[in-house]
Short mmCIF file of all heavy atoms in Angstrom, two decimals:
data_model
loop_
_atom_site.label_atom_id
_atom_site.label_comp_id
_atom_site.label_asym_id
_atom_site.label_seq_id
_atom_site.Cartn_x
_atom_site.Cartn_y
_atom_site.Cartn_z
N ILE A 32 -6.55 -4.63 -3.54
CA ILE A 32 -5.87 -5.78 -4.12
C ILE A 32 -5.40 -6.73 -2.98
O ILE A 32 -5.40 -7.94 -3.07
CB ILE A 32 -4.75 -5.26 -5.09
CG1 ILE A 32 -5.31 -4.64 -6.29
CG2 ILE A 32 -3.86 -6.50 -5.55
CD1 ILE A 32 -4.26 -3.92 -7.11
N PRO A 41 3.06 -5.95 -2.64
CA PRO A 41 3.09 -4.63 -3.62
C PRO A 41 4.51 -4.37 -4.13
O PRO A 41 5.44 -4.75 -3.42
CB PRO A 41 2.79 -3.55 -2.66
CG PRO A 41 1.90 -4.30 -1.42
CD PRO A 41 2.63 -5.46 -1.40
N LYS A 43 6.06 -5.90 -6.20
CA LYS A 43 6.61 -7.08 -6.67
C LYS A 43 5.63 -7.88 -7.49
O LYS A 43 5.84 -8.13 -8.74
CB LYS A 43 7.12 -8.11 -5.53
CG LYS A 43 7.71 -9.36 -5.92
CD LYS A 43 8.08 -10.33 -4.89
CE LYS A 43 8.52 -11.59 -5.44
NZ LYS A 43 8.40 -12.71 -4.36
N TRP A 48 -0.23 2.74 -10.07
CA TRP A 48 0.43 4.02 -10.43
C TRP A 48 -0.72 5.03 -10.57
O TRP A 48 -1.81 4.81 -10.88
CB TRP A 48 1.11 3.98 -11.78
CG TRP A 48 2.25 3.17 -11.88
CD1 TRP A 48 2.92 2.35 -10.90
CD2 TRP A 48 3.09 2.85 -13.12
NE1 TRP A 48 3.94 1.77 -11.47
CE2 TRP A 48 4.12 1.97 -12.79
CE3 TRP A 48 3.00 3.36 -14.45
CZ2 TRP A 48 5.05 1.51 -13.62
CZ3 TRP A 48 3.96 2.89 -15.34
CH2 TRP A 48 4.96 2.03 -14.97
N ASN A 50 -0.43 8.80 -12.32
CA ASN A 50 0.40 9.76 -13.03
C ASN A 50 -0.09 11.12 -12.99
O ASN A 50 0.63 12.09 -13.49
CB ASN A 50 0.52 9.32 -14.60
CG ASN A 50 1.19 8.02 -14.71
OD1 ASN A 50 1.88 7.52 -13.90
ND2 ASN A 50 0.87 7.32 -15.92
N PRO A 54 -1.61 14.57 -20.60
CA PRO A 54 -2.15 14.99 -21.92
C PRO A 54 -2.62 13.86 -22.66
O PRO A 54 -1.99 12.88 -22.83
CB PRO A 54 -1.05 15.72 -22.50
CG PRO A 54 0.18 15.17 -21.96
CD PRO A 54 -0.15 14.67 -20.56
N PRO A 58 -7.45 13.01 -32.19
CA PRO A 58 -7.11 12.46 -33.47
C PRO A 58 -6.45 13.53 -34.45
O PRO A 58 -6.99 14.69 -34.53
CB PRO A 58 -8.35 11.90 -34.01
CG PRO A 58 -9.22 11.68 -32.75
CD PRO A 58 -8.82 12.75 -31.84
N GLU A 62 0.83 14.12 -35.60
CA GLU A 62 1.68 14.51 -36.70
C GLU A 62 2.07 15.97 -36.49
O GLU A 62 3.13 16.37 -36.79
CB GLU A 62 1.04 14.41 -38.04
CG GLU A 62 0.95 12.94 -38.60
CD GLU A 62 2.37 12.34 -38.67
OE1 GLU A 62 3.36 12.99 -39.11
OE2 GLU A 62 2.60 11.21 -38.27
N LYS A 63 1.08 16.75 -35.97
CA LYS A 63 1.47 18.25 -35.83
C LYS A 63 2.47 18.39 -34.76
O LYS A 63 3.20 19.39 -34.89
CB LYS A 63 0.06 18.95 -35.32
CG LYS A 63 0.12 20.43 -35.23
CD LYS A 63 -1.25 21.04 -34.98
CE LYS A 63 -1.07 22.50 -34.68
NZ LYS A 63 -2.32 23.13 -34.23
N VAL A 66 8.04 15.25 -33.09
CA VAL A 66 9.43 15.91 -33.22
C VAL A 66 10.39 14.65 -33.21
O VAL A 66 10.25 13.76 -32.54
CB VAL A 66 9.71 16.81 -32.02
CG1 VAL A 66 11.08 17.33 -32.09
CG2 VAL A 66 8.67 17.98 -31.99
N LYS A 71 22.15 9.64 -30.83
CA LYS A 71 23.55 9.66 -31.08
C LYS A 71 23.74 9.69 -32.56
O LYS A 71 23.09 8.98 -33.23
CB LYS A 71 24.37 8.53 -30.42
CG LYS A 71 24.07 7.13 -30.93
CD LYS A 71 24.95 6.22 -30.29
CE LYS A 71 24.84 4.79 -30.74
NZ LYS A 71 25.76 3.79 -30.30
N PRO A 73 24.96 8.38 -36.16
CA PRO A 73 25.50 7.09 -36.80
C PRO A 73 26.93 7.21 -37.07
O PRO A 73 27.48 8.21 -37.42
CB PRO A 73 24.56 6.85 -37.92
CG PRO A 73 24.04 8.23 -38.33
CD PRO A 73 24.02 9.06 -37.04
N LYS A 74 27.62 6.04 -37.05
CA LYS A 74 28.97 6.03 -37.41
C LYS A 74 29.12 6.11 -38.98
O LYS A 74 28.01 5.97 -39.69
CB LYS A 74 29.58 4.63 -37.01
CG LYS A 74 29.72 4.50 -35.55
CD LYS A 74 30.23 3.15 -35.14
CE LYS A 74 30.24 3.06 -33.61
NZ LYS A 74 30.61 1.72 -33.22
N ALA A 80 19.18 4.28 -37.32
CA ALA A 80 18.14 3.37 -36.95
C ALA A 80 17.35 4.03 -35.81
O ALA A 80 17.89 4.55 -34.90
CB ALA A 80 18.75 2.03 -36.48
N TYR A 85 17.94 7.84 -33.18
CA TYR A 85 16.99 8.92 -33.07
C TYR A 85 15.71 8.30 -32.48
O TYR A 85 15.59 6.97 -32.52
CB TYR A 85 16.68 9.69 -34.36
CG TYR A 85 16.09 8.75 -35.42
CD1 TYR A 85 14.75 8.68 -35.57
CD2 TYR A 85 16.92 8.03 -36.25
CE1 TYR A 85 14.21 7.79 -36.52
CE2 TYR A 85 16.34 7.22 -37.15
CZ TYR A 85 15.01 7.17 -37.38
OH TYR A 85 14.40 6.27 -38.26
N TYR A 91 4.62 19.17 -26.88
CA TYR A 91 3.21 19.66 -26.57
C TYR A 91 3.36 21.18 -26.69
O TYR A 91 2.30 21.88 -26.63
CB TYR A 91 2.86 19.24 -25.18
CG TYR A 91 2.33 17.90 -25.21
CD1 TYR A 91 3.22 16.81 -24.86
CD2 TYR A 91 1.09 17.47 -25.58
CE1 TYR A 91 2.79 15.49 -24.92
CE2 TYR A 91 0.56 16.12 -25.60
CZ TYR A 91 1.45 15.19 -25.30
OH TYR A 91 1.14 13.91 -25.30
N ASP A 101 -6.08 17.23 -24.62
CA ASP A 101 -6.74 17.46 -23.37
C ASP A 101 -6.03 16.97 -22.19
O ASP A 101 -5.32 15.97 -22.35
CB ASP A 101 -8.22 16.84 -23.43
CG ASP A 101 -9.02 17.41 -24.57
OD1 ASP A 101 -9.25 18.62 -24.63
OD2 ASP A 101 -9.57 16.59 -25.21
N ILE A 102 -6.10 17.70 -21.13
CA ILE A 102 -5.49 17.30 -19.86
C ILE A 102 -6.49 16.36 -19.09
O ILE A 102 -7.64 16.95 -18.81
CB ILE A 102 -4.86 18.45 -19.01
CG1 ILE A 102 -3.89 19.20 -19.69
CG2 ILE A 102 -4.36 17.86 -17.76
CD1 ILE A 102 -2.59 18.63 -20.05
N PRO A 107 -5.58 6.47 -10.08
CA PRO A 107 -4.83 5.26 -9.88
C PRO A 107 -5.27 4.20 -10.79
O PRO A 107 -6.45 3.90 -11.00
CB PRO A 107 -4.90 4.97 -8.36
CG PRO A 107 -6.13 5.85 -7.97
CD PRO A 107 -6.45 6.86 -8.94
N TYR A 108 -4.29 3.39 -11.19
CA TYR A 108 -4.59 2.24 -12.07
C TYR A 108 -3.55 1.06 -11.80
O TYR A 108 -2.51 1.49 -11.38
CB TYR A 108 -4.69 2.55 -13.55
CG TYR A 108 -3.41 3.14 -14.13
CD1 TYR A 108 -2.53 2.26 -14.90
CD2 TYR A 108 -3.07 4.50 -13.93
CE1 TYR A 108 -1.35 2.77 -15.28
CE2 TYR A 108 -1.77 4.99 -14.46
CZ TYR A 108 -1.04 4.15 -15.22
OH TYR A 108 0.21 4.57 -15.74
N ILE A 109 -3.90 -0.14 -12.10
CA ILE A 109 -2.94 -1.20 -12.02
C ILE A 109 -1.95 -1.12 -13.25
O ILE A 109 -2.45 -1.38 -14.41
CB ILE A 109 -3.60 -2.51 -11.90
CG1 ILE A 109 -4.57 -2.51 -10.78
CG2 ILE A 109 -2.60 -3.68 -11.81
CD1 ILE A 109 -5.51 -3.79 -10.64
N TRP A 112 1.07 -6.30 -13.36
CA TRP A 112 0.37 -7.33 -12.76
C TRP A 112 1.21 -8.60 -13.00
O TRP A 112 1.42 -9.07 -14.13
CB TRP A 112 -0.93 -7.54 -13.36
CG TRP A 112 -1.85 -8.39 -12.68
CD1 TRP A 112 -2.16 -9.79 -13.07
CD2 TRP A 112 -2.49 -8.34 -11.50
NE1 TRP A 112 -2.97 -10.38 -12.08
CE2 TRP A 112 -3.24 -9.48 -11.06
CE3 TRP A 112 -2.58 -7.23 -10.59
CZ2 TRP A 112 -3.92 -9.68 -9.88
CZ3 TRP A 112 -3.35 -7.46 -9.21
CH2 TRP A 112 -4.00 -8.65 -9.21
N GLU A 129 -14.92 -2.47 -0.22
CA GLU A 129 -15.96 -2.39 0.78
C GLU A 129 -15.64 -3.41 1.95
O GLU A 129 -15.97 -3.14 3.11
CB GLU A 129 -17.24 -2.57 0.13
CG GLU A 129 -17.73 -1.37 -0.73
CD GLU A 129 -18.92 -1.65 -1.59
OE1 GLU A 129 -19.45 -2.75 -1.59
OE2 GLU A 129 -19.18 -0.69 -2.50
N GLU A 135 -12.00 -3.14 8.68
CA GLU A 135 -11.22 -2.11 9.37
C GLU A 135 -12.16 -1.59 10.49
O GLU A 135 -11.70 -1.27 11.52
CB GLU A 135 -10.75 -1.03 8.61
CG GLU A 135 -9.45 -1.40 7.75
CD GLU A 135 -8.29 -1.69 8.53
OE1 GLU A 135 -7.98 -0.97 9.48
OE2 GLU A 135 -7.69 -2.78 8.51
N LYS A 156 -0.82 -4.43 39.12
CA LYS A 156 -1.26 -4.18 40.44
C LYS A 156 -2.23 -5.27 40.97
O LYS A 156 -2.16 -5.72 42.03
CB LYS A 156 -2.15 -2.80 40.43
CG LYS A 156 -1.22 -1.55 40.54
CD LYS A 156 -2.02 -0.36 40.53
CE LYS A 156 -1.22 0.89 40.50
NZ LYS A 156 -1.98 2.14 40.48
N ILE A 169 -0.96 -18.03 53.40
CA ILE A 169 0.08 -18.95 53.83
C ILE A 169 0.57 -18.59 55.20
O ILE A 169 0.69 -19.59 55.97
CB ILE A 169 1.13 -19.04 52.76
CG1 ILE A 169 0.56 -19.62 51.35
CG2 ILE A 169 2.30 -19.82 53.14
CD1 ILE A 169 1.55 -19.63 50.25
N TYR A 181 2.48 -27.06 68.82
CA TYR A 181 2.97 -26.73 70.09
C TYR A 181 1.86 -26.79 71.21
O TYR A 181 2.11 -26.34 72.29
CB TYR A 181 3.60 -25.19 70.06
CG TYR A 181 4.85 -25.22 69.21
CD1 TYR A 181 4.87 -24.39 68.09
CD2 TYR A 181 5.86 -26.10 69.51
CE1 TYR A 181 5.99 -24.39 67.24
CE2 TYR A 181 7.04 -26.17 68.78
CZ TYR A 181 7.02 -25.14 67.70
OH TYR A 181 8.18 -25.18 66.78
#
Side-chain angles (χ1 to χ4, degrees):
I32 293 169
K43 179 183 172 202
W48 293 359
N50 298 337
E62 284 302 316
K63 185 177 174 185
V66 175
K71 70 176 185 176
K74 294 179 182 171
Y85 66 91
Y91 287 92
D101 296 306
I102 300 291
Y108 62 98
I109 301 171
W112 189 257
E129 290 167 7
E135 286 296 309
K156 282 181 179 179
I169 290 174
Y181 295 120

